[in-house]
Every structure is written in C-alpha cells, then in structure tokens.
Amino acid sequence: MTEIHGLNELFSRVLDKGLCAACGACVGGCPYLTSFKGKTVMVHSCSLEQGRCFAYCPMTFFDPDEVSQAVFRIPRNLGALGQVRDVMASRATDDKIASKGQAGGTVSALLVTAFEEDLIDAVVLTSLVPGEEYPRGIVATSVPEVLACAGSKYVGAHSLAAVRDALNSGYERIGVVGLPCQVRSVRKMALYDIQKENLAERIGPVIGLFCNWAFSSREFNSFLSQRFDIEHVEGFHIPPPPANCIEIVTREGRASIPLDEVRPLIQAACQNCEDMTSEFADLSVGMYEGKEGWNTLITRTDVGRNLVERAVARQNLETDTFPEPNLSHLKEASLNKRQRPSVGGEPDS
C-alpha cells in the first residue's frame, strides 16, 4: 500500500532537492504552493499529514503496474513503447490547423474533433499568453482557443494547475494534453482521488506528448532574453537528427542555436524520467523523423482509438502506415531513455 504524505514531505523529497518537474499538479490544489517565474514555491508550511500535493506529484512515487491496471486493465507492458494498439503516421487535413501545430498538427486536429463530437467540455493546454513572460496552463473550451495554444513550448509550465480551474468550473469531461510527467500526474489524480471528485470519470481523454526533456522555464527565458526581444518570440522547433539544434521562431524569422548550448537549461527532474512516449496516455503524439509535416501517433486505449477514428471520419485527420525502420528507431530511442533512473524511485510500502 502506497503511503501518501503531506507538503512537508513533498518539500524534503522533491522541491528542496530541485527535482520538481513543474507539472503544476500541486499548485492547482494547494493554497501553500504557487508558481513564481517558472518555479514551484512553498509560501507557507502545512500541517496536513496527507495531501493532494504529495499524492499527485509525479516525482514522489509512481507504481506503473497499479496505474496500468487502472488505465489498461492489465499489468504494465514492458515493451519499448508500453501498451500499444496502433502506431501510425498522421497529420491534420486542414492546412490552417497543420501550419499552426507542431509538425503535422495532429493534436489540434484531435481536439477539434473532440469538441465537434461533443466528447469533451474543456481541455487543459499549455499557452503562452500574449504579454505574459512564462507559458502556463489554460482551460480551452472552443476550437479557436485550442488553435491559439498550438505548438510545443519545450518548458515546464505548471500546466496542470488549470485542471483545478476546470474542475472548479464544473466541467465533467476534461481533456488533457501533457508531457509524460503530466500524464503520470493525471493518472495518479484519477487513481487516488483524495477528495473523491470522481476524477477517473471527469478527466480524459489524455493525450501525451513525446518528450526527452524540457527546459527550466526561468533559465530558458533568461537565456532567450539575452539574445532576442522576448515579446517577439513566437515559437520553437527542434528538427530531427542530425540537426542537433533548436530553432527559435520570432517575428523577424528563425534563429538556430546548437542544442549543446542550451542543454544546461534542462530541468533536473528530466534526468530521472524514463518515459519518452507518454506510455500511460490514451494517445501519444510526437515527431515523425524523416517525414516533414507529419506526426507519429500511438493509440493505447479504446478511448484513444475511438477519437482517432472519429477524426478520420470527419476528415480532420489523415493517417498512413508507419514504416518498420522508423518503428525500430522509435523503440530504440524509447529504450534509451528508459535506462535512466525510475521517476521517484520505488513506491512507498
């Protein structure tokens, strides 16, 4: 049986050790925690022996078999990509959507479909709001709001704080798009549901993004501000190997920066993460190396497959076969990340 502790233990195990992933789950449910300039900050001590902050944090403990049983109804699949129904290439059929999204715009096309099919009331996304210095989570309730959030941010942005906003607003079908650590967090929310809010029914579908690492938002912003007018930065793109660079998209054009120059800005928590493809999501979406304008799409659950089928039927999404050499390379990359230490270590007992 997993032991759930409170804020003091979260501070000593995660925050004080610099292992926070900036997922946002804790700051959305605790009055003693807040996000400040890209960091999770404890503003006051708390005497509770058990709390949502500790229970939902992806860095405190994570039992993959327990979560797999809850999500997939089977023990964890130890294959390179976790539990998989289908792996395919995909892209949005609407050029306006594809051009706004990362690579093929698959996530945006899926969310457009989810709203059109009345599968969700709201979705939690990461947004860089004009005039604000740091990306953050928002609750999107319309297609225009979804498209305004398109594109990868490559930073820990405390996005899951917006899950609490969505729950408090009374939404009953809340989609979530997040990084692997955030996917693990929302699965812990549904599994432990500290305040009995029916989270397993209210949160989903969960769309996970491929991720090898994310930058610390504060350090990355400082880096950018020394080189660009930060208000002119509109997006980011990391081309597939052998490019080994990050492209900064600004109003004036694109600038290329070697990855080695920005690797020191990666969050410490990312060094402990073993999950590249968000293996506990309903759907996982990432880059398709070697095929510009397309994504890699993994379906993992009936919920995920149903959403893809509806998107194809509405002609919002186009799919294609995923070549075996690409699949082998994807599995190799995923296994390479899995060699890192497990997130949060072994579950408490």
Side-chain angles (χ1 to χ4, degrees):
M1 176 66 70
T2 297
E3 290 185 11
I4 296 176
H5 301 285
L7 176 54
N8 291 336
E9 195 69 19
L10 176 70
F11 181 83
S12 64
R13 293 195 190 189
V14 179
L15 301 179
D16 193 41
K17 293 182 178 179
L19 294 176
C20 175
C23 74
C26 63
V27 300
C30 176
Y32 305 115
L33 291 167
T34 188
S35 58
F36 178 72
K37 294 188 175 182
K39 300 292 185 181
T40 304
V41 177
M42 187 169 77
V43 296
H44 200 280
S45 61
C46 172
S47 61
L48 287 179
E49 295 184 359
Q50 293 187 333
R52 290 175 293 179
C53 59
F54 186 95
Y56 301 162
C57 174
M59 303 303 294
T60 50
F61 64 90
F62 187 82
D63 187 329
D65 285 319
E66 188 177 22
V67 172
S68 183
Q69 287 285 1
V71 177
F72 307 121
R73 309 302 180 201
I74 56 173
R76 184 191 190 186
N77 186 325
L78 295 177
L81 303 179
Q83 178 66 17
V84 172
R85 297 287 186 86
D86 311 285
V87 183
M88 63 193 81
S90 62
R91 65 178 178 182
T93 56
D94 187 331
D95 289 339
K96 293 180 181 179
I97 294 177
S99 64
K100 287 180 176 291
Q102 200 77 13
T106 293
V107 173
S108 297
L110 291 170
L111 295 177
V112 168
T113 301
F115 276 116
E116 290 176 343
E117 292 282 308
D118 197 30
L119 299 177
I120 58 175
D121 303 318
V123 60
V124 170
L125 300 170
T126 302
S127 174
L128 183 54
V129 178
E132 294 189 8
E133 189 175 2
Y134 295 94
R136 61 178 174 86
I138 71 161
V139 181
T141 58
S142 68
V143 169
E145 289 176 332
V146 167
L147 298 183
C149 295
S152 295
K153 309 303 184 291
Y154 294 109
V155 297
H158 294 91
S159 307
L160 295 188
V163 172
R164 175 51 44 193
D165 296 334
L167 291 168
N168 290 346
S169 295
Y171 294 115
E172 295 294 330
R173 298 168 299 166
I174 305 164
V176 176
V177 177
L179 303 174
C181 55
Q182 294 170 323
V183 170
R184 289 183 173 219
S185 180
V186 296
R187 293 312 194 191
K188 290 178 73 175
M189 291 180 189
L191 183 62
Y192 301 112
D193 200 0
I194 300 300
Q195 293 192 338
K196 307 303 180 186
E197 298 175 279
N198 196 27
L199 300 184
E201 298 297 325
R202 296 177 69 184
I203 298 177
V206 177
I207 300 177
L209 306 175
F210 291 8
C211 179
N212 265 311
W213 41 258
F215 295 121
S216 166
S217 187
R218 183 182 297 180
E219 280 73 23
F220 189 50
N221 263 33
S222 177
F223 177 90
L224 291 176
S225 64
Q226 294 171 23
R227 291 160 177 79
F228 307 96
D229 183 335
I230 200 74
E231 293 186 357
H232 289 191
V233 175
E234 297 179 337
F236 313 96
H237 175 61
I238 297 181
N244 196 38
C245 68
I246 181 171
E247 294 180 349
I248 312 299
V249 183
T250 72
R251 296 176 191 172
E252 291 76 27
R254 292 193 178 208
S256 180
I257 297 175
L259 279 180
D260 289 343
E261 195 172 335
V262 293
R263 288 189 191 280
L265 311 177
I266 294 173
Q267 296 183 132
C270 299
Q271 307 303 327
N272 293 330
C273 178
E274 62 172 3
D275 185 359
M276 190 190 89
T277 63
S278 293
E279 65 173 285
F280 297 99
D282 294 298
L283 294 161
S284 299
V285 182
M287 299 290 290
Y288 185 152
E289 292 187 10
K291 195 167 185 178
E292 188 175 352
W294 288 74
N295 291 110
T296 301
L297 174 60
I298 302 175
T299 63
R300 303 185 184 276
T301 65
D302 289 340
V303 170
R305 178 180 281 176
N306 176 57
L307 179 53
V308 171
E309 289 175 349
R310 292 189 186 215
V312 171
R314 278 189 171 267
Q315 299 185 345
N316 290 334
L317 189 73
E318 176 184 0
T319 62
D320 199 357
T321 56
F322 197 72
E324 183 58 38
N326 293 75
L327 182 58
S328 295
H329 185 263
L330 178 63
K331 289 179 178 179
E332 180 183 5
S334 181
L335 285 174
N336 284 341
K337 187 174 184 183
R338 194 174 286 180
Q339 302 309 311
R340 302 176 187 176
S342 298
V343 173
E346 294 298 319
D348 294 342
S349 59

PDB file of all heavy atoms in Angstrom, residues 247-266:
ATOM      1  N   GLU A 247      15.443  25.675 -33.065  1.00  0.00           N
ATOM      2  CA  GLU A 247      15.139  26.859 -33.866  1.00  0.00           C
ATOM      3  C   GLU A 247      14.189  27.754 -33.079  1.00  0.00           C
ATOM      4  O   GLU A 247      13.162  27.296 -32.588  1.00  0.00           O
ATOM      5  CB  GLU A 247      14.513  26.455 -35.200  1.00  0.00           C
ATOM      6  CG  GLU A 247      15.470  25.680 -36.099  1.00  0.00           C
ATOM      7  CD  GLU A 247      14.829  25.280 -37.420  1.00  0.00           C
ATOM      8  OE1 GLU A 247      13.590  25.423 -37.554  1.00  0.00           O
ATOM      9  OE2 GLU A 247      15.566  24.823 -38.309  1.00  0.00           O
ATOM     10  N   ILE A 248      14.549  29.006 -32.958  1.00  0.00           N
ATOM     11  CA  ILE A 248      13.727  29.993 -32.268  1.00  0.00           C
ATOM     12  C   ILE A 248      12.978  30.788 -33.336  1.00  0.00           C
ATOM     13  O   ILE A 248      13.591  31.422 -34.197  1.00  0.00           O
ATOM     14  CB  ILE A 248      14.585  30.950 -31.416  1.00  0.00           C
ATOM     15  CG1 ILE A 248      15.595  30.158 -30.566  1.00  0.00           C
ATOM     16  CG2 ILE A 248      13.695  31.818 -30.554  1.00  0.00           C
ATOM     17  CD1 ILE A 248      14.979  29.193 -29.600  1.00  0.00           C
ATOM     18  N   VAL A 249      11.646  30.722 -33.285  1.00  0.00           N
ATOM     19  CA  VAL A 249      10.820  31.408 -34.269  1.00  0.00           C
ATOM     20  C   VAL A 249      10.422  32.769 -33.709  1.00  0.00           C
ATOM     21  O   VAL A 249       9.794  32.861 -32.654  1.00  0.00           O
ATOM     22  CB  VAL A 249       9.557  30.587 -34.606  1.00  0.00           C
ATOM     23  CG1 VAL A 249       8.743  31.287 -35.700  1.00  0.00           C
ATOM     24  CG2 VAL A 249       9.932  29.179 -35.039  1.00  0.00           C
ATOM     25  N   THR A 250      10.809  33.831 -34.411  1.00  0.00           N
ATOM     26  CA  THR A 250      10.480  35.185 -33.983  1.00  0.00           C
ATOM     27  C   THR A 250       9.741  35.912 -35.107  1.00  0.00           C
ATOM     28  O   THR A 250       9.619  35.397 -36.217  1.00  0.00           O
ATOM     29  CB  THR A 250      11.746  35.977 -33.618  1.00  0.00           C
ATOM     30  OG1 THR A 250      12.461  36.298 -34.823  1.00  0.00           O
ATOM     31  CG2 THR A 250      12.651  35.172 -32.686  1.00  0.00           C
ATOM     32  N   ARG A 251       9.257  37.093 -34.809  1.00  0.00           N
ATOM     33  CA  ARG A 251       8.583  37.890 -35.836  1.00  0.00           C
ATOM     34  C   ARG A 251       9.521  38.224 -36.993  1.00  0.00           C
ATOM     35  O   ARG A 251       9.075  38.437 -38.125  1.00  0.00           O
ATOM     36  CB  ARG A 251       8.056  39.196 -35.224  1.00  0.00           C
ATOM     37  CG  ARG A 251       6.991  39.010 -34.169  1.00  0.00           C
ATOM     38  CD  ARG A 251       6.612  40.346 -33.546  1.00  0.00           C
ATOM     39  NE  ARG A 251       5.792  40.171 -32.362  1.00  0.00           N
ATOM     40  CZ  ARG A 251       5.458  41.164 -31.543  1.00  0.00           C
ATOM     41  NH1 ARG A 251       5.872  42.399 -31.797  1.00  0.00           N
ATOM     42  NH2 ARG A 251       4.712  40.925 -30.478  1.00  0.00           N
ATOM     43  N   GLU A 252      10.811  38.244 -36.692  1.00  0.00           N
ATOM     44  CA  GLU A 252      11.792  38.619 -37.720  1.00  0.00           C
ATOM     45  C   GLU A 252      12.275  37.417 -38.528  1.00  0.00           C
ATOM     46  O   GLU A 252      12.942  37.576 -39.547  1.00  0.00           O
ATOM     47  CB  GLU A 252      13.002  39.301 -37.072  1.00  0.00           C
ATOM     48  CG  GLU A 252      12.710  40.681 -36.498  1.00  0.00           C
ATOM     49  CD  GLU A 252      11.945  40.625 -35.183  1.00  0.00           C
ATOM     50  OE1 GLU A 252      12.068  39.618 -34.465  1.00  0.00           O
ATOM     51  OE2 GLU A 252      11.191  41.574 -34.894  1.00  0.00           O
ATOM     52  N   GLY A 253      11.961  36.192 -38.067  1.00  0.00           N
ATOM     53  CA  GLY A 253      12.424  34.999 -38.766  1.00  0.00           C
ATOM     54  C   GLY A 253      12.847  33.923 -37.790  1.00  0.00           C
ATOM     55  O   GLY A 253      12.412  33.908 -36.636  1.00  0.00           O
ATOM     56  N   ARG A 254      13.712  33.012 -38.241  1.00  0.00           N
ATOM     57  CA  ARG A 254      14.168  31.901 -37.409  1.00  0.00           C
ATOM     58  C   ARG A 254      15.650  32.034 -37.113  1.00  0.00           C
ATOM     59  O   ARG A 254      16.432  32.418 -37.972  1.00  0.00           O
ATOM     60  CB  ARG A 254      13.917  30.558 -38.098  1.00  0.00           C
ATOM     61  CG  ARG A 254      12.442  30.200 -38.228  1.00  0.00           C
ATOM     62  CD  ARG A 254      12.276  28.741 -38.609  1.00  0.00           C
ATOM     63  NE  ARG A 254      10.852  28.382 -38.683  1.00  0.00           N
ATOM     64  CZ  ARG A 254      10.381  27.165 -38.465  1.00  0.00           C
ATOM     65  NH1 ARG A 254      11.199  26.186 -38.159  1.00  0.00           N
ATOM     66  NH2 ARG A 254       9.091  26.924 -38.554  1.00  0.00           N
ATOM     67  N   ALA A 255      16.010  31.672 -35.885  1.00  0.00           N
ATOM     68  CA  ALA A 255      17.409  31.629 -35.479  1.00  0.00           C
ATOM     69  C   ALA A 255      17.709  30.233 -34.956  1.00  0.00           C
ATOM     70  O   ALA A 255      16.894  29.637 -34.243  1.00  0.00           O
ATOM     71  CB  ALA A 255      17.684  32.671 -34.399  1.00  0.00           C
ATOM     72  N   SER A 256      18.852  29.695 -35.318  1.00  0.00           N
ATOM     73  CA  SER A 256      19.236  28.347 -34.918  1.00  0.00           C
ATOM     74  C   SER A 256      20.302  28.399 -33.829  1.00  0.00           C
ATOM     75  O   SER A 256      21.300  29.116 -33.962  1.00  0.00           O
ATOM     76  CB  SER A 256      19.763  27.585 -36.136  1.00  0.00           C
ATOM     77  OG  SER A 256      20.141  26.271 -35.778  1.00  0.00           O
ATOM     78  N   ILE A 257      20.081  27.659 -32.737  1.00  0.00           N
ATOM     79  CA  ILE A 257      21.013  27.624 -31.616  1.00  0.00           C
ATOM     80  C   ILE A 257      21.407  26.165 -31.371  1.00  0.00           C
ATOM     81  O   ILE A 257      20.536  25.291 -31.272  1.00  0.00           O
ATOM     82  CB  ILE A 257      20.383  28.213 -30.348  1.00  0.00           C
ATOM     83  CG1 ILE A 257      20.051  29.691 -30.562  1.00  0.00           C
ATOM     84  CG2 ILE A 257      21.313  28.052 -29.144  1.00  0.00           C
ATOM     85  CD1 ILE A 257      19.314  30.320 -29.407  1.00  0.00           C
ATOM     86  N   PRO A 258      22.693  25.849 -31.262  1.00  0.00           N
ATOM     87  CA  PRO A 258      23.120  24.468 -31.001  1.00  0.00           C
ATOM     88  C   PRO A 258      22.510  23.938 -29.697  1.00  0.00           C
ATOM     89  O   PRO A 258      22.464  24.658 -28.694  1.00  0.00           O
ATOM     90  CB  PRO A 258      24.642  24.578 -30.894  1.00  0.00           C
ATOM     91  CG  PRO A 258      24.986  25.820 -31.638  1.00  0.00           C
ATOM     92  CD  PRO A 258      23.830  26.761 -31.412  1.00  0.00           C
ATOM     93  N   LEU A 259      22.070  22.685 -29.726  1.00  0.00           N
ATOM     94  CA  LEU A 259      21.471  22.098 -28.527  1.00  0.00           C
ATOM     95  C   LEU A 259      22.470  22.050 -27.369  1.00  0.00           C
ATOM     96  O   LEU A 259      22.085  22.191 -26.207  1.00  0.00           O
ATOM     97  CB  LEU A 259      20.947  20.690 -28.829  1.00  0.00           C
ATOM     98  CG  LEU A 259      19.592  20.585 -29.516  1.00  0.00           C
ATOM     99  CD1 LEU A 259      19.222  19.126 -29.747  1.00  0.00           C
ATOM    100  CD2 LEU A 259      18.504  21.278 -28.700  1.00  0.00           C
ATOM    101  N   ASP A 260      23.727  21.834 -27.690  1.00  0.00           N
ATOM    102  CA  ASP A 260      24.725  21.772 -26.616  1.00  0.00           C
ATOM    103  C   ASP A 260      24.774  23.071 -25.816  1.00  0.00           C
ATOM    104  O   ASP A 260      25.139  23.068 -24.638  1.00  0.00           O
ATOM    105  CB  ASP A 260      26.104  21.480 -27.203  1.00  0.00           C
ATOM    106  CG  ASP A 260      26.219  20.046 -27.711  1.00  0.00           C
ATOM    107  OD1 ASP A 260      25.369  19.226 -27.324  1.00  0.00           O
ATOM    108  OD2 ASP A 260      27.135  19.770 -28.502  1.00  0.00           O
ATOM    109  N   GLU A 261      24.388  24.169 -26.442  1.00  0.00           N
ATOM    110  CA  GLU A 261      24.417  25.458 -25.766  1.00  0.00           C
ATOM    111  C   GLU A 261      23.275  25.612 -24.766  1.00  0.00           C
ATOM    112  O   GLU A 261      23.378  26.386 -23.802  1.00  0.00           O
ATOM    113  CB  GLU A 261      24.357  26.582 -26.812  1.00  0.00           C
ATOM    114  CG  GLU A 261      24.729  27.951 -26.287  1.00  0.00           C
ATOM    115  CD  GLU A 261      24.845  28.987 -27.386  1.00  0.00           C
ATOM    116  OE1 GLU A 261      25.109  28.596 -28.542  1.00  0.00           O
ATOM    117  OE2 GLU A 261      24.664  30.194 -27.095  1.00  0.00           O
ATOM    118  N   VAL A 262      22.185  24.871 -24.988  1.00  0.00           N
ATOM    119  CA  VAL A 262      21.014  25.011 -24.113  1.00  0.00           C
ATOM    120  C   VAL A 262      20.785  23.797 -23.211  1.00  0.00           C
ATOM    121  O   VAL A 262      19.917  23.846 -22.336  1.00  0.00           O
ATOM    122  CB  VAL A 262      19.738  25.285 -24.945  1.00  0.00           C
ATOM    123  CG1 VAL A 262      19.819  26.646 -25.611  1.00  0.00           C
ATOM    124  CG2 VAL A 262      19.496  24.200 -25.984  1.00  0.00           C
ATOM    125  N   ARG A 263      21.534  22.731 -23.388  1.00  0.00           N
ATOM    126  CA  ARG A 263      21.338  21.546 -22.536  1.00  0.00           C
ATOM    127  C   ARG A 263      21.474  21.849 -21.042  1.00  0.00           C
ATOM    128  O   ARG A 263      20.783  21.239 -20.225  1.00  0.00           O
ATOM    129  CB  ARG A 263      22.312  20.435 -22.943  1.00  0.00           C
ATOM    130  CG  ARG A 263      21.959  19.777 -24.264  1.00  0.00           C
ATOM    131  CD  ARG A 263      22.808  18.550 -24.538  1.00  0.00           C
ATOM    132  NE  ARG A 263      22.637  18.090 -25.902  1.00  0.00           N
ATOM    133  CZ  ARG A 263      21.615  17.356 -26.332  1.00  0.00           C
ATOM    134  NH1 ARG A 263      20.662  17.003 -25.485  1.00  0.00           N
ATOM    135  NH2 ARG A 263      21.546  16.978 -27.592  1.00  0.00           N
ATOM    136  N   PRO A 264      22.360  22.750 -20.626  1.00  0.00           N
ATOM    137  CA  PRO A 264      22.435  23.067 -19.188  1.00  0.00           C
ATOM    138  C   PRO A 264      21.147  23.650 -18.621  1.00  0.00           C
ATOM    139  O   PRO A 264      20.997  23.737 -17.395  1.00  0.00           O
ATOM    140  CB  PRO A 264      23.582  24.089 -19.117  1.00  0.00           C
ATOM    141  CG  PRO A 264      24.420  23.808 -20.314  1.00  0.00           C
ATOM    142  CD  PRO A 264      23.448  23.427 -21.374  1.00  0.00           C
ATOM    143  N   LEU A 265      20.213  24.051 -19.473  1.00  0.00           N
ATOM    144  CA  LEU A 265      18.965  24.649 -19.017  1.00  0.00           C
ATOM    145  C   LEU A 265      17.870  23.615 -18.788  1.00  0.00           C
ATOM    146  O   LEU A 265      16.762  23.961 -18.388  1.00  0.00           O
ATOM    147  CB  LEU A 265      18.481  25.685 -20.041  1.00  0.00           C
ATOM    148  CG  LEU A 265      19.516  26.706 -20.531  1.00  0.00           C
ATOM    149  CD1 LEU A 265      18.903  27.616 -21.585  1.00  0.00           C
ATOM    150  CD2 LEU A 265      20.056  27.514 -19.366  1.00  0.00           C
ATOM    151  N   ILE A 266      18.163  22.335 -19.046  1.00  0.00           N
ATOM    152  CA  ILE A 266      17.171  21.273 -18.893  1.00  0.00           C
ATOM    153  C   ILE A 266      16.862  21.055 -17.411  1.00  0.00           C
ATOM    154  O   ILE A 266      17.757  21.075 -16.559  1.00  0.00           O
ATOM    155  CB  ILE A 266      17.675  19.963 -19.526  1.00  0.00           C
ATOM    156  CG1 ILE A 266      17.798  20.144 -21.049  1.00  0.00           C
ATOM    157  CG2 ILE A 266      16.756  18.801 -19.201  1.00  0.00           C
ATOM    158  CD1 ILE A 266      18.455  18.974 -21.749  1.00  0.00           C
TER     159      ILE A 266
END
